[in-house]
Amino acid sequence: MDHTGHGEHSFKDLAQLDQNEPSWESALIGFVVIFLTVGLFFLFWVGLFRLSSS
Amino acid sequence: MTAILWPLVAVYLVVVVGIGVWSARRRVRTYEDMTVAGRGVGPFLIGCSVAATWINGVSLITLTGFGKSFGLSAYWHMGAVGIGTLWVGIYLVPRMWKLRVITTPQILERFFGPTHRLVGLVVAMLRDFAATAGTIGATALVASTTLGISIFEALVLTYFVTVLYVTLGGMWAVLVTDTIQFFIILLGTGLLLVVSIQGAGGLGGVVEKVDDPTLFSATGDFGALEIMGWFSVAFFLAIGYQTLAQRAFAARSREAARRGFIYGGILAVLWYIAPALLGVTGIALFGKEMEADQVFLNLTNEMGGPVLGSIIFVSIMSANMSTLSSTISTMGSNVTVDIYQRFIDPDAESGRMLWISRISILLTSVLACVTYYYIPYLMELFLAGGRIVGGSLAPVLIAVMLFPSMRRKGRTVLASLTISGAAVILCQILSPRELKAGTSFFVWGFVDPVLVGVFISLVVLVVGSRWEGRE
């Protein structure tokens, strides 16, 4: 890698950057899935308190 | 407590300095070893280090206070950074790793040019400078009150030792000590949680004694909108945090970087339950009248006893030192790679670069310390830097990483960085105190500056790329 970030790697690298990587649509779906999973986990955890007090 | 505390502190400090010396002798040969651990790190070290970087003494004490004030929903205030880390790990980190850079501003030059890099550098360094200066103060204060020594002595014990092992061992030392620090934090907070809940009569006892259902609801007193506001702010801050990204650059492979971030994200998602729960348990044990910031320290003193109290003190110190070591290491990399190598001596040989990176770490560390003590009013500017990262750098990083067409829209990206950055600074100046302190995201018609920045970035990126595409 050269210090400017350009040079020998520049466009060859950039073309390969997205190879075998998920698209922005997958990233959006991924965000929803991660958010919902953590949200459900949090609800489950909050629910534990209701159960423990009843 | 002091009788057992001092030996524990001494052992801990000797171990971290020892790791610095070991890294310097065995691992560090070039400046790439110093800044990105020779790009040879596996997912375990990256995961623990990512989690340890997120968790600092401020998060322990302040978030326990939030838990006391807002209940379990305080979790979203920082649990969101775990979600952000997971998402970045899966969708941005693999592409970022392929670029083979050392710092985040380098990414901007790779796609656009030196102007973009300089703007990114100023934003990223403001954030790390704020984190460093803020954590120096918190670390010294806790050490000075717990050990009964002066602030100066506390600084020597904590900050000097941190700077010493980072200067010697660079990123290798940071990653190994972070991992040890993460397990100390886990042990300290885990044990405190167990004895506190037991002391309050178990989970059922906590609910009964607190006797306020809103503190046990998923959205608390504020409702879903406020919680989503907290979430969004923390999420974007996680994406723009270059200290974190540097751990990905240190990975030995694309897969190691991705898996490391997933581990770190999961650890953060789980760990941030602890402070919220400790806060609520604090109400059960000490009542609602106690000052929020005192809850964590009171739990430690009242419930911990001499041995556990000492372990918890060392864990607060570890949490602070792991955050400090990360930010000073990143600032050192910025000065070495983005300033010295790029603009002063592009052809400097490897041995020289190694020493330049050590001197850079020392200089930026001293500067952060001096700033905190002699010109504290500058802190407001640096804290704005943290928000610019979330409101201006994060949206641009998402755009250039996920949308290939954006990589040819240099003017749009520069406009987005500067306009949204200026908007964040303006909002930070005009914001009411609650927003500045981060305890709220929507006050009297003001929205958190990060969200204003994200919205403006989005508009500039969409409109600008269409306009630039027509030319």
Side-chain angles (χ1 to χ4, degrees):
Chain A
M1 182 201 66
D2 70 341
H3 60 277
T4 64
H6 286 289
E8 55 180 309
H9 285 279
S10 102
F11 278 99
K12 193 175 158 220
D13 261 9
L14 294 190
Q16 288 171 347
L17 203 60
D18 306 297
Q19 251 176 31
N20 306 319
E21 299 299 347
S23 62
W24 70 267
E25 290 96 333
S26 326
L28 191 63
I29 296 167
F31 170 76
V32 175
V33 171
I34 296 169
F35 178 76
L36 289 181
T37 311
V38 177
L40 284 174
F41 157 73
F42 181 68
L43 283 177
F44 163 75
W45 173 61
V46 168
L48 273 183
F49 285 85
R50 308 232 161 134
L51 283 177
S52 59
S53 64
S54 57
Chain B
M1 183 156 90
T2 316
I4 197 159
L5 181 59
W6 275 104
L8 262 182
V9 171
V11 168
Y12 169 75
L13 294 177
V14 167
V15 168
V16 291
V17 172
I19 290 167
V21 174
W22 167 81
S23 308
R25 292 174 66 121
R26 295 291 166 100
R27 296 284 186 167
V28 181
R29 295 280 176 272
T30 67
Y31 80 98
E32 285 213 351
D33 294 335
M34 248 337 246
T35 50
V36 283
R39 302 190 200 277
V41 185
F44 175 75
L45 281 186
I46 293 175
C48 292
S49 173
V50 163
T53 303
W54 276 126
I55 302 164
N56 59 39
V58 180
S59 39
L60 271 171
I61 295 168
T62 313
L63 288 179
T64 304
F66 281 6
K68 184 255 165 190
S69 307
F70 311 131
L72 298 183
S73 60
Y75 171 73
W76 289 110
H77 219 286
M78 282 304 278
V81 303
I83 296 181
T85 307
L86 267 172
W87 186 80
V88 168
I90 299 168
Y91 298 104
L92 301 191
V93 154
R95 285 179 170 93
M96 284 160 90
W97 184 86
K98 285 182 188 171
L99 287 166
R100 309 289 280 175
V101 292
I102 291 173
T103 66
T104 306
Q106 257 184 312
I107 295 179
L108 293 174
E109 177 150 10
R110 176 64 72 91
F111 292 128
F112 307 110
T115 314
H116 293 69
R117 181 178 189 167
L118 276 177
V119 174
L121 178 68
V122 170
V123 171
M125 281 197 83
L126 279 178
R127 196 250 177 262
D128 285 331
F129 210 87
T132 309
T135 318
I136 293 170
T139 318
L141 198 64
V142 172
S144 124
T145 40
T146 319
L147 294 167
I149 52 178
S150 72
I151 288 278
F152 179 76
E153 288 163 338
L155 258 185
V156 173
L157 262 186
T158 56
Y159 193 53
F160 174 76
V161 165
T162 311
V163 174
L164 180 68
Y165 76 71
V166 178
T167 310
L168 285 171
M171 185 57 104
W172 270 115
V174 172
L175 290 167
V176 177
T177 51
D178 269 7
T179 303
I180 295 171
Q181 284 153 351
F182 175 72
F183 284 105
I184 296 175
I185 297 163
L186 210 58
L187 181 73
T189 43
L191 289 175
L192 184 62
L193 204 55
V194 171
V195 295
S196 302
I197 290 174
Q198 269 180 354
L203 285 183
V206 173
V207 180
E208 243 165 65
K209 283 176 185 153
V210 172
D211 194 28
D212 183 350
T214 51
L215 293 175
F216 294 100
S217 93
T219 51
D221 244 351
F222 290 100
L225 184 67
E226 180 78 34
I227 300 291
M228 285 311 293
W230 288 356
F231 173 85
S232 315
V233 170
F235 180 78
F236 282 101
L237 286 175
I239 293 170
Y241 197 6
Q242 71 153 355
T243 300
L244 218 60
Q246 211 175 3
R247 274 136 186 78
F249 307 147
R252 65 175 172 232
S253 67
R254 172 194 166 280
E255 188 52 24
R258 198 178 73 93
R259 276 179 34 208
F261 265 65
I262 293 175
Y263 297 163
I266 291 173
L267 291 173
V269 161
L270 296 175
W271 184 84
Y272 278 115
I273 288 174
L277 194 45
L278 279 172
V280 177
T281 312
I283 304 175
L285 289 164
F286 310 122
K288 280 188 177 173
E289 285 71 34
M290 177 171 281
E291 289 280 321
D293 282 352
Q294 292 300 312
V295 177
F296 185 86
L297 296 174
N298 257 43
L299 282 171
T300 307
N301 290 333
E302 302 283 324
M303 309 304 297
V307 177
L308 180 55
S310 304
I311 295 175
I312 291 162
F313 168 70
V314 175
S315 73
I316 297 176
M317 207 162 88
S318 308
N320 281 334
M321 284 170 73
S322 66
T323 305
L324 269 180
S325 64
S326 305
T327 52
I328 58 180
S329 158
T330 310
M331 286 196 300
S333 307
N334 282 138
V335 175
T336 311
V337 179
D338 295 314
I339 298 174
Y340 185 82
Q341 193 184 37
R342 177 64 182 90
F343 295 106
I344 299 173
D345 187 2
D347 304 315
E349 57 174 50
S350 181
R352 186 184 178 85
M353 285 296 291
L354 177 60
W355 282 102
I356 292 292
S357 63
R358 286 195 164 127
I359 293 166
S360 305
I361 290 168
L362 270 180
L363 280 181
T364 46
S365 310
V366 170
L367 201 62
C369 199
V370 168
T371 306
Y372 181 76
Y373 277 92
Y374 294 104
I375 27 180
Y377 49 85
L378 277 184
M379 285 300 289
E380 186 73 15
L381 175 69
F382 297 130
L383 289 171
R387 285 194 152 105
I388 304 171
V389 160
S392 149
L393 192 60
V396 160
L397 277 178
I398 296 174
V400 296
M401 282 297 139
L402 293 183
F403 299 87
S405 62
M406 283 309 299
R407 297 170 201 158
R408 296 182 194 281
K409 306 283 178 357
R411 273 177 292 167
T412 300
V413 166
L414 193 60
S416 170
L417 276 172
T418 45
I419 296 171
S420 58
V424 173
I425 292 174
L426 195 67
C427 289
Q428 178 80 9
I429 294 167
L430 298 175
S431 287
R433 273 197 66 202
E434 292 92 328
L435 286 185
K436 285 182 182 171
T439 51
S440 202
F441 109 100
F442 186 81
V443 183
W444 307 325
F446 284 90
V447 177
D448 192 288
V450 172
L451 297 183
V452 176
V454 168
F455 177 74
I456 292 176
S457 289
L458 194 69
V459 172
V460 174
L461 287 170
V462 170
V463 174
S465 59
R466 299 210 157 212
W467 176 73
E468 208 174 339
R470 275 192 206 152
E471 285 185 346

